[in-house]
Amino acid sequence: MKKSRRCGLGTTICRGLLFVLLAVCLHTAPKAYALGGDLASADYERFKPMEVSSSNGWISAGIDDTTGEVYSYRRRLATAELYPVYKQTLSVSFNSDGYMFGVYEYDGDSKFVKKSEVGNNGEVTVSDDTRYIRFCLRRILNEKSLSLGQWNSIFNNGLKISINVEDNDSESESEPESESEPESEPLPEVKLYSRATEEYSVETHYGLFEELKVTSTSGWMSGGINNTTGEVYEYRRRLVTQDVYPIYKQTLNISFNEDGYKVEVYEYDANKSFIKMTVASSGDCVTVTDNTRFVRFCLFRVLNEKSLSLGQWNSIFLNGLKFTISAAHSDSYSADEPVPEPTPEPIPEPTPEVETEPEVGCVKESSYHELFEEMKVVSTKGWVSGGVDSKTGEVTVNRRRLVTEELFPIYEQTLEMVFNEDGYKVEVYEYDENNNFIKMTDVANGSEITVTDATRFVRFSLHRISKEKSLSLGQWNNIFNNGLVLSVSVDAEKSASVDKAELVVENVLTPHDELYNEMKRMLETGDTSLHDISKFGFNIYEVRAIADELKRGECYYYFANSSSMYLSDFSLKNNICYTMRFEGMDTDFVNRYNRMMRTLSEIKSMTTAQMSDLDKVILVHDYIVSHTYYEKTSYSKACAGGILGDGHGLCTGFARAFNAAMKYLGVETRYANSDSMNHAWSMVKIDGQFYHVDCTWDDTHEEKYGYVGHCYLLASDTRFGKSIPSKHYSWIVKDADYSTTVNLAASSTKFDNWFVHDVKSLMVYNNGYWYYADGKTIKRSDAYGKDMSTVLTETGNVSIIGLSQGKLQYKVNGTVKTVNVK
């Protein structure tokens, strides 16, 4: 009985609750919307315009095109959150080419609706059911794994995305309908020049060039311009404006605040057909032709050009370089008035050409000798760990000395060295105008050296007089911080007093230089045609020697080709070589070379002056393992360009890529291979000893899950011959040119029990420490494991993403987090 009463009471209560619930459901509530599905407002939220100039609010990820779900992917960027949207059209614009934007739509319950993909200036109209959107950014070509920090570098180098919006909903709930206004008479049509439609006629207003002040790489890109066609091509040593500038009958005035740079001015007609190019120095004036309607600029160094990333060019600007291109109108037309029909001008009688002396500041085919200025050294900025060979003048690996990164221009001067502490000397290395070594002088405190008449460049090497020992750049910095100062000044009385205006000399190239440059241009442009070289008068041995010199000096070209590349098709007359061409150059060679050099520059931009050679080895190893994968069918699978330019290849490609990157950073390597294993790897020199490095076997295809192997990084012969977990055997070692077998052993066991071998995550460097994941913890240590500590402990296993603006990004349980590591 009691039991039935309880059941009856329970039934009554349940019926009452159901009645209340039914009443609530039948009550008409206003339609509402809020992010996350919380209906709290009568108005749907609309998307607001957005400017994207950094990876802030984005994560390294992709989005599934069929489910709309986010997944781990290191090659793209996805917004960390959904954005509310309602009946709108989004227009997307990039200020750089080469990118696509994925727009993913979701309904009010966050269920996936559809995906659209747009390029530059594309539009997407969201469906009526869409309430949320998410974006995914990707490169159109050559996608490769990038950390958020590397994406940030792309944004910092100029990439910007604008997402504008137009409401499509005709029911405006917030604004009353206004009475229609009477139609007014249409305004007279004024036809203006439009770059989008490329309209141009006599009735069009001509565009006048405005002043261009350059203090960063914003609006510029790495590249060169062909002198005969005016077309832009990939080139890592120069800067080119991203766009052309409209111009009409104007004179451009060029001014730099530093010597050593020039600008090429390229002129184009109304159809953007190339007209001519002019090289301009600081103080020069360039008057464009009457037919010129557009100009483009190319910036380059006068001497010692080398491959520089946009970040490195930016550093040059940040360190003081500035230049201005200003314009003066060359005729009476005003931009505010339409230009009348041109009338033919009478052709003047030709006048005989008269050679005139070049004006100072307007020198075209000649250059000034540069005078050395005072240098004060209070840190290692501008110096690297190394020595200089006293017989050849070439920089060598030496952990006990410091060498200036660059050569300094000089002309007939006496230099005085002054230390504020005893126990140090400076070696002064002198080079001629072709960078050929002349001599070395070891200079003590208070001593002087007068350079030779032929000397045009000097390099300095700092060393202790006694008790030299291996020092990192950080340890050298401590020495400077503790008071050491070196001053290199010019003795004005003993230096030749030369008026700069008197030092104009013709820049005449020798036949050797001309042939060297011609070969280099052939490589730069992928030219495999037969060249007539009879004018140089060299025999076949001299031609091959110049090619070998090019291979040693610019050997990164050879690293990018899919197979061996060499000179061939020589024809001889009276022992003189008349023809030559490059054989074995594949069709994608030039593009792959440029892609490879971009990667090498990116790697170098990740280094700091504080890094030791050991730090650089870890950096290059982890970069290659986390950005590439093993693949054995591609055309470029066996060369360094396949790994560094295309992101995939064979073990031979991995080994050559590691060696190329270490050479780019100034660290010595060798190449090892085993026919019995059908395998190849690298050997690298650290602190005077060689060690094995096998990037291929550390690349496990699991890096997309945050795993990066280090088992085969810096091993002795003993460790490599054991199961770690797989052993290497029957190998030989080849010299740096991969041709000569050498007797070389990795006898040092210094790193056989190194803590890095047990690290299973990406290692990220910051301010002298390496950060890495160890299960649920993030740890840090110096490269030798001497200062190890735990940074934080999480609730799940951690995977490292990268470093961005002093913050370490990592993922735990699918959530991206950051920790400050400044």
Side-chain angles (χ1 to χ4, degrees):
M1 182 66 70
K2 290 180 180 178
K3 185 175 182 180
S4 64
R5 268 199 217 120
R6 287 194 191 99
C7 290
L9 180 61
T11 301
T12 303
I13 293 171
C14 288
R15 286 174 178 169
L17 290 173
L18 287 171
F19 179 80
V20 173
L21 182 60
L22 181 60
V24 171
C25 291
L26 291 174
H27 184 269
T28 56
K31 194 173 184 180
Y33 166 84
L35 185 61
D38 182 16
L39 302 180
S41 169
D43 294 324
Y44 289 110
E45 292 189 55
R46 298 178 185 268
F47 182 80
K48 297 177 181 178
M50 184 167 68
E51 290 276 342
V52 183
S53 56
S54 74
S55 62
N56 186 29
W58 297 69
I59 56 176
S60 293
I63 303 179
D64 192 291
D65 292 347
T66 56
T67 66
E69 294 181 357
V70 177
Y71 62 90
S72 297
Y73 194 55
R74 299 268 298 168
R75 300 188 176 193
R76 299 184 180 183
L77 281 182
T79 49
E81 297 181 0
L82 297 170
Y83 294 90
V85 70
Y86 180 64
K87 290 186 179 180
Q88 292 171 286
T89 296
L90 309 182
S91 59
V92 180
S93 61
F94 299 88
N95 68 337
S96 298
D97 294 329
Y99 297 89
M100 292 289 284
F101 216 56
V103 181
Y104 295 77
E105 302 179 34
Y106 305 81
D107 65 15
D109 297 319
S110 299
K111 291 182 180 178
F112 180 60
V113 177
K114 70 171 184 175
K115 175 244 182 172
S116 305
E117 194 166 52
V118 294
N120 197 8
N121 299 318
E123 289 188 350
V124 173
T125 301
V126 299
S127 68
D128 291 347
D129 296 329
T130 299
R131 297 295 178 268
Y132 305 99
I133 50 175
R134 174 171 246 148
F135 305 115
C136 184
L137 172 66
R138 70 171 177 89
R139 282 180 168 174
I140 297 175
L141 299 173
N142 304 323
E143 280 197 279
K144 60 180 178 180
S145 184
L146 295 171
S147 67
L148 285 178
Q150 291 165 326
W151 273 108
N152 252 336
S153 297
I154 293 174
F155 285 114
N156 290 337
N157 287 331
L159 174 64
K160 287 184 176 57
I161 308 164
S162 299
I163 309 170
N164 294 314
V165 64
E166 178 184 340
D167 291 345
N168 302 324
D169 189 8
S170 60
E171 299 175 3
S172 177
E173 300 176 4
S174 58
E175 296 182 5
E177 293 185 3
S178 60
E179 296 182 2
S180 59
E181 297 180 0
E183 292 185 2
S184 59
E185 293 185 6
L187 294 174
E189 181 181 356
V190 179
K191 192 175 183 182
L192 296 176
Y193 163 69
S194 169
R195 186 173 296 173
T197 58
E198 297 194 5
E199 295 174 352
Y200 211 103
S201 68
V202 177
E203 292 80 15
T204 306
H205 288 298
Y206 289 103
L208 294 180
F209 182 82
E210 298 177 1
E211 184 179 58
L212 177 67
K213 282 191 175 181
V214 184
T215 59
S216 72
T217 59
S218 178
W220 296 70
M221 61 185 181
S222 295
I225 305 180
N226 189 297
N227 293 343
T228 56
T229 67
E231 294 180 355
V232 177
Y233 62 90
E234 292 192 66
Y235 192 55
R236 297 288 296 172
R237 301 189 175 194
R238 299 186 176 185
L239 286 180
V240 175
T241 50
Q242 291 177 344
D243 207 348
V244 294
Y245 294 87
I247 197 169
Y248 180 67
K249 290 188 178 182
Q250 291 171 284
T251 297
L252 303 179
N253 301 312
I254 315 294
S255 63
F256 289 88
N257 68 332
E258 292 186 8
D259 294 331
Y261 297 90
K262 287 187 178 182
V263 165
E264 294 173 335
V265 181
Y266 290 81
E267 301 179 37
Y268 305 84
D269 63 15
N271 298 316
K272 295 186 180 177
S273 298
F274 178 60
I275 298 176
K276 71 168 187 173
M277 182 274 287
T278 307
V279 180
S281 303
S282 184
D284 284 356
C285 309
V286 177
T287 301
V288 300
T289 72
D290 290 348
N291 295 326
T292 300
R293 296 295 178 266
F294 302 98
V295 286
R296 177 170 240 150
F297 305 107
C298 179
L299 170 67
F300 67 98
R301 280 181 168 174
V302 178
L303 298 171
N304 302 324
E305 281 195 279
K306 61 181 180 180
S307 183
L308 295 171
S309 67
L310 284 177
Q312 292 167 321
W313 271 110
N314 251 333
S315 298
I316 292 174
F317 286 114
L318 292 177
N319 287 331
L321 174 64
K322 293 181 178 62
F323 73 93
T324 303
I325 305 173
S326 57
H329 303 321
S330 301
D331 67 13
S332 59
Y333 293 132
S334 168
D336 297 326
E337 299 175 0
V339 181
E341 290 284 348
T343 56
E345 296 180 1
I347 301 175
E349 291 293 328
T351 55
E353 295 184 1
V354 179
E355 293 188 2
T356 58
E357 292 293 326
E359 297 180 13
V360 176
C362 295
V363 181
K364 298 298 180 188
E365 297 298 331
S366 55
S367 60
Y368 292 119
H369 293 299
E370 297 192 55
L371 301 180
F372 180 84
E373 297 178 0
E374 184 180 49
M375 179 172 68
K376 198 167 189 177
V377 184
V378 295
S379 71
T380 60
K381 184 179 181 180
W383 297 68
V384 294
S385 294
V388 184
D389 191 301
S390 59
K391 296 181 180 178
T392 65
E394 295 181 355
V395 176
T396 60
V397 178
N398 191 330
R399 299 275 300 165
R400 302 186 175 194
R401 300 188 174 188
L402 287 180
V403 177
T404 50
E405 285 183 319
E406 298 185 2
L407 298 171
F408 293 87
I410 197 169
Y411 180 69
E412 292 187 3
Q413 292 169 284
T414 298
L415 304 180
E416 184 177 10
M417 311 292 164
V418 177
F419 292 91
N420 67 334
E421 293 183 10
D422 294 330
Y424 297 90
K425 280 187 175 182
V426 169
E427 293 173 337
V428 181
Y429 292 80
E430 302 179 40
Y431 305 83
D432 65 17
E433 61 185 6
N434 297 316
N435 292 352
N436 295 320
F437 178 60
I438 298 176
K439 71 168 187 173
M440 181 274 286
T441 308
D442 202 8
V443 186
N445 190 11
S447 299
E448 297 177 345
I449 172 178
T450 301
V451 300
T452 72
D453 292 345
T455 301
R456 296 294 178 266
F457 302 98
V458 289
R459 170 170 257 145
F460 304 106
S461 176
L462 170 64
H463 66 97
R464 283 179 168 173
I465 296 174
S466 61
K467 297 182 179 180
E468 280 194 280
K469 61 181 180 179
S470 183
L471 295 171
S472 68
L473 285 177
Q475 291 167 321
W476 272 108
N477 256 332
N478 290 334
I479 293 174
F480 286 114
N481 290 336
N482 288 329
L484 177 63
V485 177
L486 164 64
S487 297
V488 185
S489 57
V490 177
D491 189 328
E493 294 182 359
K494 295 188 178 181
S495 295
S497 178
V498 184
D499 184 0
K500 208 172 188 183
E502 297 175 0
L503 295 178
V504 180
V505 295
E506 291 300 319
N507 189 13
V508 180
L509 295 177
T510 65
H512 173 282
D513 296 332
E514 289 184 7
L515 182 55
Y516 181 98
N517 290 337
E518 183 167 340
M519 289 181 184
K520 186 177 175 183
R521 281 192 296 271
M522 293 168 70
L523 293 173
E524 288 174 346
T525 59
D527 183 0
T528 58
S529 64
L530 194 66
H531 278 237
D532 181 356
I533 57 172
S534 57
K535 64 180 180 180
F536 299 116
F538 292 125
N539 62 41
I540 190 170
Y541 303 105
E542 291 170 322
V543 172
R544 283 175 172 164
I546 295 172
D548 288 340
E549 182 184 340
L550 174 64
K551 188 172 183 179
R552 290 191 303 271
E554 308 282 345
C555 63
Y556 294 98
Y557 290 109
Y558 293 83
F559 290 161
N561 202 52
S562 61
S563 59
S564 60
M565 183 172 53
Y566 52 91
L567 283 177
S568 67
D569 283 355
F570 300 111
S571 63
L572 300 175
K573 293 181 181 179
N574 299 324
N575 204 32
I576 299 300
C577 194
Y578 268 61
T579 61
M580 69 164 190
R581 74 179 182 90
F582 275 107
E583 188 168 328
M585 188 186 298
D586 68 66
T587 55
D588 194 39
F589 163 73
V590 174
N591 292 328
R592 190 184 308 110
Y593 167 78
N594 290 323
R595 294 193 298 269
M596 180 184 74
M597 295 309 297
R598 277 198 297 270
T599 299
L600 289 175
S601 295
E602 182 180 346
I603 291 173
K604 190 166 186 178
S605 70
M606 297 166 67
T607 64
T608 68
Q610 190 178 9
M611 275 187 166
S612 65
D613 287 349
L614 177 58
D615 291 321
K616 293 174 184 177
V617 168
I618 300 173
L619 172 68
V620 171
H621 171 274
D622 278 34
Y623 185 96
I624 289 176
V625 172
S626 62
H627 285 75
T628 58
Y629 60 90
Y630 184 87
E631 196 271 336
K632 55 185 178 182
T633 60
S634 64
Y635 192 62
S636 58
K637 59 192 175 185
C639 70
I643 296 295
L644 298 174
D646 302 330
H648 48 77
L650 291 173
C651 57
T652 49
F654 274 87
R656 292 171 187 265
F658 179 85
N659 289 0
M662 296 315 305
K663 174 182 172 65
Y664 201 70
L665 300 183
V667 181
E668 191 175 352
T669 59
R670 295 290 185 270
Y671 177 84
N673 72 289
S674 169
D675 291 338
S676 301
M677 296 174 63
N678 192 26
H679 188 47
W681 59 92
S682 304
M683 296 183 74
V684 64
K685 193 175 185 180
I686 300 293
D687 296 336
Q689 297 289 330
F690 277 94
Y691 301 90
H692 296 274
V693 176
D694 192 342
C695 293
T696 310
W697 281 13
D698 276 334
D699 192 341
T700 64
H701 296 277
E702 296 182 72
E703 59 272 9
K704 63 182 177 181
Y705 304 113
Y707 177 88
V708 175
H710 298 87
C711 289
Y712 303 98
L713 176 60
L714 296 188
S716 66
D717 288 343
T718 303
R719 177 178 169 86
F720 238 44
K722 294 179 180 179
S723 178
I724 55 164
S726 299
K727 67 179 181 179
H728 296 65
Y729 53 89
S730 303
W731 65 77
I732 60 172
V733 181
K734 294 184 178 180
D735 211 338
D737 62 359
Y738 303 104
S739 61
T740 307
T741 301
V742 295
N743 185 16
L744 183 66
S747 56
S748 172
T749 59
K750 180 177 181 179
F751 294 102
D752 277 8
N753 296 313
W754 193 26
F755 81 98
V756 172
H757 295 151
D758 298 321
V759 174
K760 308 300 181 186
S761 82
L762 179 70
M763 298 182 69
V764 177
Y765 180 88
N766 186 61
N767 198 25
Y769 288 97
W770 287 97
Y771 292 82
Y772 58 95
D774 185 6
K776 296 182 179 181
T777 65
I778 293 179
K779 294 182 177 180
R780 79 169 192 176
S781 173
D782 70 358
Y784 292 94
K786 295 178 181 177
D787 190 8
M788 191 177 296
S789 62
T790 298
V791 177
L792 59 82
T793 302
E794 274 287 358
T795 57
N797 286 336
V798 175
S799 62
I800 302 295
I801 296 175
L803 189 72
S804 176
Q805 298 178 346
K807 292 185 178 181
L808 182 69
Q809 297 173 321
Y810 65 96
K811 184 181 289 187
V812 59
N813 296 328
T815 302
V816 176
K817 296 184 177 182
T818 61
V819 57
N820 198 328
V821 294
K822 285 186 178 179

